[in-house]
Amino acid sequence: MCMNVDLLETCLLTGRWDDQLSASLETHPATKLAKAVIDGDFRAVLTSTYAQDVFRVHPSVTKFDEPYERLLQWTLPSVSDAQEQELIHLILGVACLHAFVQANWTGPDLNIKPSDVVVPPKHPLSISDPLLNSKAVAELAYGGEPAYHLAQSAAFLRFAQIIFSAPRAQLNYTTPWWRLRVSIIHEQLLDEAVPLPSDMLGCLMPLMERTSSDPDLAGRLQLEQGLLEHLFSHDKSAAEHFVRAARATGLQYELTGALGKRTKFQQNALSQLVLLAESRKRDGDVRERSSADVDINTSAGPLNGSRSRNGGSEETMSIKPCVPETLPLNDDTLLEQTEFTSSNPSTTALLSHLDPSSQPPLHPLDQCILLSLCLICPPPIRSSRKGLLYFHSIPLPSKWEMERELALRYLSIGVVKSALEIFERLEMWEEVVKCWQSMERRDQAITIVRDLLQGRKEEADSVISKGKDISSARRTTLDSAREAKLWCLLGDLEPEHAVAHYERAWRLSRETSGRAMRSLGGYYFARGEFPSAVRCLLRAVAINPLLSRPWFILGCAYMRVENWEGARDAFSRCVAIDDEDAESWNNLATVYLRLDEARKGVSEEGDDVPKGRDVSGITVSLSNKTLAFRALKQGLKHRYENWRMWSNYMIVAVDVGELSEACRAQARIVEERAAKIGVECVDEQVLARLVDAVTRSPVDPVPAAGDSGLDAVQIREQPDAVTDPNGGRGLLRRVLDLFERTILPRLSSPGILHAYARLLTWQTRWEDALKAHLDGYRCGTAGTFEKGDTDVEKWREAVREVEDMVDVLRNFGSRVQGLNWRHQGRSIVRTFVGRSKDFEDEPEWSRLLEIQNELRSEE
């Protein structure tokens, strides 16, 4: 009977055995090995005769210095069929990977060690677990980033990595998927995420097409790609993959509201946020959903009671609840859980049948998708097999990462001693140094780093391996990545010798330490040596382009040397990595504006311009200012309270014609700065531009029909005159709100009030316009002129204001019913004349007397 290889590979992916394969257990050894992997019996697989062939030390090896690719045989001479050979390789690779995961993530402790797997040669060769793991940790260092050296059984991960990366492994259609899983786990061992080879994700495209017929497999693949993107901090791309995973599995979910109560004293039901979710109907739905919450105990093993893929019968099983106990809140105010008073939430028709307080359980895969969307780690997993079942589909932290998180929480609340103890036990020396620095004990931090470098204080694996049969050259290679990092730490602690320490780290790492170049670039930047900073940071981002901070400092260094195109590229990379980095968006906008100026300068100097490159002032200006406007708009989403960014945004918005946004920006600036600096926070030129944009349009577009050759109906059918948000009546409401709701309740000045009066005049609100003019006069130079003031220029300016105010009264007075404007005008002139008797000899004095006589004669 032929074995269904594709089905076997699918079972390895999902971690569930299919009864269709049971018939080939006796006839095909690979099937038996695969079932042992799915059952979690890794010792049986990794000590089998096939494993002994693959993991046997090559006969030609006489020293332990060879890398693992040449140290072991990696062949199966006892198997003649090529397809079966590759299938066994795949099974052994999966067993190694899952053994490493069980040792460092899910538990319980492994019952096998790497030394039990590696078969030594006939001649004497010292092989021990510390040596195997030290070699693996050194080889797992990637992209200049060291791997975590206390990871247990690291050799298993290295074995899996070699098996899945071998060219012969391409016969198995799921190999690219397993390479993805190995890469995700490998990234979590590194100090910083490092980009993968460009062909990694490209190899998954055929697999996506092949799994499209199986919704759950397609969903798993999208989910795991999203988790990889999340490791790289590509949250937008990760979210897209998570959404695609939900669509593939048929998960329906929605954040909505439902009436309910959250507190004990709440009388009225209010809308409460609730997540509604429902999985698609699957075969064996009850068995799938219950498996996430119960332990399955059968006499034949953990999988004998599994539901078969073809709907086969299940054996009797005993079900014991295995969920954490729900502890009561015992809160004086909050209820134990939200009490929903309505079973009909405001949602779409697809989920309207769900009761918020009693939703059906989700399929475990759908739970993983929602957890990934929320980026919330699931509760602890009690069973090792169930932990591996969905391990690749959830963002589960490793054992050391969970302890590190605890230590960081201690550090954040000032419990430094407890944090220091955890970091020292985990041998995370960079965090140890930070703890000592926070206690203002830099000398102690320096002592620790120097002791590690000089061998007076040794890490756990170094202590264990000391005295073993290992050459001094190999010992240096084993610790080079971590030693380089220690020299970087010493450079941080000793600024006076920083350059020498960073350069030594760079040499030790054989020019692969991105940390050394990042630190050296930052050192040069802080001291104003910008060309040197650019040189170092370019090396750093070439090694690891996933970190936004080096790109940001590089962009700033480029700005200092006025390399605007380089700065643009650097800040573009910053916002591509982290689109919530408001400072990078702001700098990117600045660079776009400077690019415009630089290109204009090149054009004016008559330098050679490449063909096809547009350097015309208008085109380049419009293009770059628009890009600057968009960059600032994006940055303000994440730095809403930054008044400097709002000020830049306002100016650029005016330049590109986005006047409604300029109006919004001016309002935000007033809200943030009015209490501190008063009227200086209002840009009166921008305010005048806003009023001009409104008043240049006709008050009513319909009377203009005769001038345009269109009738009134056609004018009304053209919405631009009214709905254009950057002019006319479309902008009027925003500008009025800016004056009446934001500026005038807080501030007043002649410029502000006269601009407001012009707007009211355009609306033919004569009385309000006249009042605004009078208020502007009272807070202007003439209205505040004091008797005894001897400043002639100030007095002349005040005279002009008096003339203007009288003209306003003359123009507006007849339009305001019940207003004796002549009397009010005489009163203004008389008051000002009385305060300025000291200036009777000035030529303008006669003009004041003329105005008085004119007002009397008109009356």
Side-chain angles (χ1 to χ4, degrees):
M1 178 179 178
C2 294
M3 177 176 57
N4 190 335
V5 177
D6 286 355
L7 180 58
L8 183 62
E9 292 190 46
T10 302
C11 290
L12 287 171
L13 281 175
T14 61
R16 294 186 181 280
W17 183 251
D18 193 305
D19 287 344
Q20 295 181 32
L21 297 169
S22 299
S24 60
L25 283 173
E26 300 299 329
T27 56
H28 292 83
T31 309
K32 195 170 184 179
L33 286 177
K35 190 175 189 306
V37 170
I38 293 173
D39 288 347
D41 190 0
F42 305 128
R43 184 176 184 84
V45 178
L46 296 176
T47 57
S48 65
T49 56
Y50 302 108
Q52 291 175 9
D53 288 340
V54 170
F55 301 119
R56 186 181 301 277
V57 176
H58 200 279
S60 62
V61 173
T62 57
K63 291 185 177 180
F64 202 71
D65 291 345
E66 296 293 332
Y68 274 121
E69 290 94 332
R70 295 196 295 270
L71 182 68
L72 305 180
Q73 292 190 158
W74 305 109
T75 58
L76 280 170
S78 59
V79 180
S80 57
D81 183 69
Q83 186 180 33
E84 189 171 4
Q85 273 190 2
E86 299 318 314
L87 185 58
I88 292 175
H89 273 105
L90 177 70
I91 294 168
L92 292 175
V94 175
C96 288
L97 179 63
H98 282 176
F100 178 75
V101 169
Q102 180 176 324
N104 294 280
W105 269 268
T106 64
D109 294 338
L110 278 176
N111 59 356
I112 187 172
K113 298 176 292 184
S115 59
D116 299 332
V117 175
V118 176
V119 179
K122 294 181 180 179
H123 56 81
L125 182 64
S126 177
I127 295 179
S128 64
D129 286 310
L131 289 179
L132 291 171
N133 289 326
S134 296
K135 177 189 283 289
V137 167
E139 294 187 14
L140 287 169
Y142 179 65
E145 298 294 336
Y148 182 58
H149 61 286
L150 294 188
Q152 300 178 31
S153 303
F156 285 141
L157 178 61
R158 182 59 183 148
F159 294 165
Q161 198 177 51
I162 293 172
I163 290 173
F164 293 134
S165 61
R168 61 178 179 272
Q170 305 308 317
L171 294 175
N172 303 309
Y173 90 95
T174 59
T175 298
W177 196 334
W178 286 107
R179 268 210 306 273
L180 172 66
R181 290 180 169 182
V182 168
S183 298
I184 292 174
I185 295 171
H186 186 200
E187 289 285 344
Q188 296 180 67
L189 258 68
L190 303 177
D191 283 359
E192 300 285 353
V194 176
L196 298 175
S198 56
D199 61 339
M200 169 66 70
L201 297 179
C203 295
L204 297 174
M205 295 304 297
L207 192 59
M208 294 173 66
E209 297 174 1
R210 190 161 181 174
T211 59
S212 58
S213 59
D214 188 328
D216 287 350
L217 269 185
R220 277 179 186 263
L221 183 56
Q222 290 285 355
L223 178 56
E224 292 177 30
Q225 289 184 75
L227 292 175
L228 178 64
E229 295 289 350
H230 175 61
L231 284 176
F232 294 152
S233 298
H234 298 163
D235 291 340
K236 184 179 293 185
S237 178
E240 291 174 358
H241 280 293
F242 296 151
V243 171
R244 291 193 201 114
R247 291 173 182 166
T249 63
L251 170 66
Q252 298 288 339
Y253 66 94
E254 184 179 0
L255 273 174
T256 184
L259 292 177
K261 298 179 181 179
R262 293 183 59 198
T263 66
K264 298 177 180 179
F265 310 106
Q266 192 172 337
Q267 299 296 320
N268 301 320
L270 302 175
S271 182
Q272 308 292 332
L273 184 66
V274 62
L275 172 64
L276 300 178
E278 186 177 35
S279 299
R280 80 172 198 281
K281 300 298 181 183
R282 293 172 170 85
D283 294 337
D285 223 15
V286 175
R287 169 68 184 88
E288 290 285 341
R289 294 182 183 180
S290 64
S291 67
D293 300 324
V294 299
D295 281 331
I296 302 171
N297 302 313
T298 64
S299 59
L303 283 178
N304 291 349
S306 301
R307 181 78 174 185
S308 67
R309 291 173 61 88
N310 59 1
S313 61
E314 298 181 357
E315 296 183 9
T316 305
M317 57 186 178
S318 60
I319 299 178
K320 180 179 66 176
C322 184
V323 295
E325 180 184 357
T326 301
L327 298 176
L329 290 175
N330 292 327
D331 192 87
D332 293 337
T333 304
L334 294 177
L335 296 169
E336 292 298 322
Q337 60 184 8
T338 302
E339 292 182 357
F340 292 101
T341 58
S342 172
S343 60
N344 296 317
S346 54
T347 183
T348 59
L350 291 173
L351 300 176
S352 57
H353 62 285
L354 294 181
D355 184 352
S357 59
S358 179
Q359 297 188 50
L362 294 175
H363 187 273
L365 180 58
D366 292 334
Q367 293 181 36
C368 293
I369 293 172
L370 286 180
L371 288 169
S372 299
L373 281 166
C374 302
L375 296 179
I376 299 173
C377 292
I381 299 174
R382 307 286 184 89
S383 163
S384 64
R385 182 190 164 272
K386 286 195 294 179
L388 292 173
L389 195 63
Y390 290 100
F391 168 79
H392 299 289
S393 302
I394 52 179
L396 187 67
S398 59
K399 293 178 179 178
W400 65 83
E401 187 61 32
M402 293 179 70
E403 289 194 79
R404 178 178 179 271
E405 179 66 24
L406 174 62
L408 290 175
R409 296 295 176 93
Y410 278 144
L411 193 59
S412 67
I413 61 175
V415 188
V416 182
K417 190 66 176 177
S418 297
L420 180 62
E421 291 174 358
I422 296 174
F423 287 137
E424 286 184 333
R425 177 162 46 81
L426 297 175
E427 296 183 5
M428 294 181 174
W429 303 117
E430 187 164 7
E431 281 74 16
V432 169
V433 166
K434 290 178 181 177
C435 288
W436 284 114
Q437 285 181 312
S438 69
M439 292 187 289
E440 299 181 356
R441 292 288 307 277
R442 190 169 70 94
D443 57 331
Q444 183 65 29
I446 293 174
T447 301
I448 289 175
V449 177
R450 286 200 172 275
D451 286 350
L452 286 166
L453 289 170
Q454 296 171 10
R456 293 193 296 268
K457 180 180 180 67
E458 296 186 337
E459 295 178 331
D461 57 343
S462 300
V463 174
I464 294 172
S465 62
K466 191 168 185 177
K468 303 296 182 181
D469 183 17
I470 179 170
S471 66
S472 58
R474 183 59 189 159
R475 189 184 300 276
T476 302
T477 304
L478 282 173
D479 299 329
S480 61
R482 276 176 284 153
E483 187 177 355
K485 185 174 181 181
L486 288 173
W487 280 108
C488 291
L489 285 175
L490 192 59
D492 298 341
L493 292 168
E494 297 180 345
E496 62 276 9
H497 305 298
V499 174
H501 295 334
Y502 295 146
E503 289 179 348
R504 182 165 184 175
W506 179 245
R507 292 192 301 271
L508 275 172
S509 67
R510 299 177 183 178
E511 299 187 354
T512 62
S513 174
R515 169 73 157 83
M517 284 295 103
R518 290 195 298 271
S519 300
L520 192 56
Y523 175 88
Y524 283 134
F525 182 85
R527 283 153 183 79
E529 301 177 34
F530 303 117
S532 299
V534 168
R535 185 178 63 254
C536 295
L537 291 168
L538 282 174
R539 291 177 178 176
V541 297
I543 294 171
N544 188 350
L546 293 179
L547 303 177
S548 63
R549 188 63 184 171
W551 283 111
F552 181 84
I553 301 176
L554 177 61
C556 294
Y558 271 136
M559 291 177 71
R560 297 300 179 90
V561 298
E562 298 187 359
N563 184 341
W564 304 114
E565 293 188 354
R568 175 198 60 195
D569 296 340
F571 289 124
S572 296
R573 291 299 295 266
C574 283
V575 297
I577 295 170
D578 180 9
D579 65 349
E580 296 184 4
D581 186 353
E583 196 170 358
S584 293
W585 283 114
N586 185 57
N587 288 355
L588 182 60
T590 302
V591 169
Y592 278 130
L593 297 175
R594 292 299 185 93
L595 263 175
D596 183 23
E597 296 175 5
R599 290 178 180 177
K600 283 181 181 179
V602 170
S603 179
E604 291 170 1
E605 292 171 8
D607 292 348
D608 293 335
V609 179
K611 291 183 179 180
R613 184 176 178 183
D614 186 4
V615 294
S616 62
I618 296 177
T619 304
V620 174
S621 174
L622 181 61
S623 165
N624 284 329
K625 285 184 178 178
T626 302
L627 292 172
F629 170 76
R630 293 172 181 170
L632 286 168
K633 187 173 185 178
Q634 188 69 23
L636 284 168
K637 294 179 181 178
H638 313 292
R639 195 68 66 83
Y640 190 74
E641 71 288 348
N642 190 318
W643 66 268
R644 289 185 177 88
M645 285 185 66
W646 280 109
S647 182
N648 295 339
Y649 183 60
M650 178 180 67
I651 300 301
V652 176
V654 171
D655 286 345
V656 299
E658 293 286 344
L659 298 182
S660 62
E661 288 299 299
C663 189
R664 185 166 73 99
Q666 180 63 87
R668 282 295 301 142
I669 296 169
V670 171
E671 290 170 356
E672 292 290 333
R673 302 283 290 166
K676 297 179 180 178
I677 62 173
V679 294
E680 293 180 13
C681 67
V682 178
D683 190 321
E684 294 186 2
Q685 292 182 351
V686 171
L687 211 57
R689 285 282 300 274
L690 294 173
V691 174
D692 290 343
V694 175
T695 57
R696 73 166 60 101
S697 300
V699 179
D700 186 356
V702 175
D707 299 334
S708 63
L710 302 175
D711 58 27
V713 175
Q714 289 174 313
I715 289 291
R716 289 193 177 94
E717 289 176 354
Q718 293 182 349
D720 294 344
V722 177
T723 60
D724 177 16
N726 298 310
R729 289 198 168 272
L731 183 61
L732 174 63
R733 174 49 55 193
R734 278 187 176 274
V735 178
L736 277 176
D737 287 346
L738 174 63
F739 278 112
E740 296 173 355
R741 296 187 179 183
T742 307
I743 297 179
L744 293 178
R746 296 175 173 88
L747 306 166
S748 63
S749 74
I752 294 171
L753 290 163
H754 290 325
Y756 180 50
R758 283 202 298 128
L759 186 66
L760 296 173
T761 302
W762 180 79
Q763 291 182 279
T764 66
R765 295 166 55 184
W766 309 114
E767 185 174 357
D768 294 336
L770 181 57
K771 181 180 181 301
H773 276 298
L774 287 169
D775 290 342
Y777 171 81
R778 293 187 185 103
C779 63
T781 305
T784 58
F785 194 85
E786 296 291 339
K787 188 174 182 179
D789 200 330
T790 59
D791 188 342
V792 176
E793 293 301 324
K794 181 179 178 182
W795 179 78
R796 288 172 180 168
E797 182 183 351
V799 171
R800 289 191 291 270
E801 289 184 5
V802 171
E803 290 185 76
D804 292 340
M805 191 63 242
V806 172
D807 290 340
V808 168
L809 285 168
R810 186 176 286 117
N811 293 330
F812 285 54
S814 60
R815 293 183 172 92
V816 179
Q817 295 182 357
L819 175 66
N820 187 348
W821 63 270
R822 294 180 183 85
H823 174 74
Q824 194 163 5
R826 288 200 311 274
S827 175
I828 289 173
V829 177
R830 184 171 59 251
T831 302
F832 182 73
V833 167
R835 292 176 179 175
S836 56
K837 291 286 188 181
D838 296 337
F839 298 94
E840 292 180 352
D841 297 334
E842 297 297 328
E844 289 81 1
W845 180 263
S846 60
R847 180 57 187 151
L848 291 174
L849 299 179
E850 290 176 9
I851 294 173
Q852 275 186 319
N853 294 331
E854 288 173 3
L855 292 172
R856 288 195 189 98
S857 62
E858 289 177 4
E859 188 173 4

